[in-house]
Amino acid sequence: MAKIGYIFNTAHCDELDKDRKWMESYGCTLIMEEDSEHEVLRPRWKQLMANLERGDELILSKFSNAVRGCRELSAMIEFCRIKVVRIISINDKIDSKGELFPETSVSQILEAFGSLPEEVVALRKANARKKQNNKHMRIPKSAVAQSKEDREKTIVAMYNNGHSLDDIWEISGFKSKSSVFRVLNKFGVELNRGKFKGPLGKRKKHEEE
């Protein structure tokens, strides 16, 4: 049984460092952090959910930090119920096991769920402003290198967890799908679905991403 945390790095939440420390103190063996650029597809969240095992504990900063609406919230709760996964939301002060926040009332839980759509809209607006402000900023080379490494890990993880090539390509930011295949080839990933099977062979040099 593992304790796994999830943080969406949004400009809207100023408590992420505090939540990260809370998760570490609670004993999280892994804290998955999603970059705000991936707000739509959230590959790390999907990777986390795909790898949850029976009896694990899922620790969130806030429900609105993890899901994008009441439908996703309902699906997550049902999934965790079936898997017997304990859900802890730090800032909503909700523990599905009813141990960590005994003072939280039913009315407070309903209020947290009812305000979810409004909080998600505020989060998206904050991320949009952040993207606009960063559009013309110069990115240090070290940051670019780190981003490239994370991008490659995300591509491999998404493919291994069954995501479509179209979804992976959209997340990657590459100009062509051949760049996605180059990453898969680099990490020795064997293609196992669609018309692509087996290891990748040598490919002609295409336009650099």
Side-chain angles (χ1 to χ4, degrees), residues 24-136:
E24 291 171 352
S25 298
Y26 184 69
C28 287
T29 55
L30 175 65
I31 300 176
M32 302 286 283
E33 298 198 25
E34 195 90 72
D35 191 271
S36 59
E37 295 179 358
H38 299 158
E39 193 273 333
V40 177
L41 292 179
R42 303 199 179 198
R44 291 187 181 256
W45 171 253
K46 292 177 181 177
Q47 180 185 355
L48 184 159
M49 295 299 287
N51 287 283
L52 278 177
E53 299 289 345
R54 185 179 181 85
D56 284 348
E57 295 186 23
L58 175 61
I59 296 88
L60 310 172
S61 294
K62 197 173 179 67
F63 282 114
S64 60
N65 188 260
V67 296
R68 297 176 298 164
C70 293
R71 182 178 296 179
E72 287 189 8
L73 174 65
S74 175
M76 182 197 71
I77 292 175
E78 175 64 5
F79 176 84
C80 290
R81 183 189 68 82
I82 294 171
K83 285 269 192 176
V84 196
V85 171
R86 180 182 184 180
I87 305 172
I88 297 171
S89 177
I90 301 171
N91 293 291
D92 293 311
K93 297 188 181 302
I94 294 174
D95 174 10
S96 63
K97 202 171 181 179
E99 295 179 356
L100 291 180
F101 310 106
E103 72 281 3
T104 301
S105 65
V106 173
S107 62
Q108 289 173 315
I109 294 175
L110 293 176
E111 182 179 354
F113 291 168
S115 62
L116 179 65
E118 181 181 351
E119 292 179 2
V120 170
V121 170
L123 181 151
R124 287 178 175 173
K125 288 182 178 179
N127 286 333
R129 287 196 298 270
K130 181 180 177 182
K131 289 180 181 179
Q132 185 64 32
N133 292 337
N134 291 341
K135 185 177 293 184
H136 303 295

Side-chain angles (χ1 to χ4, degrees), residues 7-23 61-62 65 90-91:
I7 291 176
F8 180 75
N9 288 308
T10 170
H12 180 60
C13 185
D14 300 323
E15 302 293 326
L16 294 184
D17 287 337
K18 181 179 177 182
D19 294 344
R20 192 179 292 108
K21 291 178 181 178
W22 194 101
M23 292 177 184
S61 294
K62 197 173 179 67
N65 188 260
I90 301 171
N91 293 291

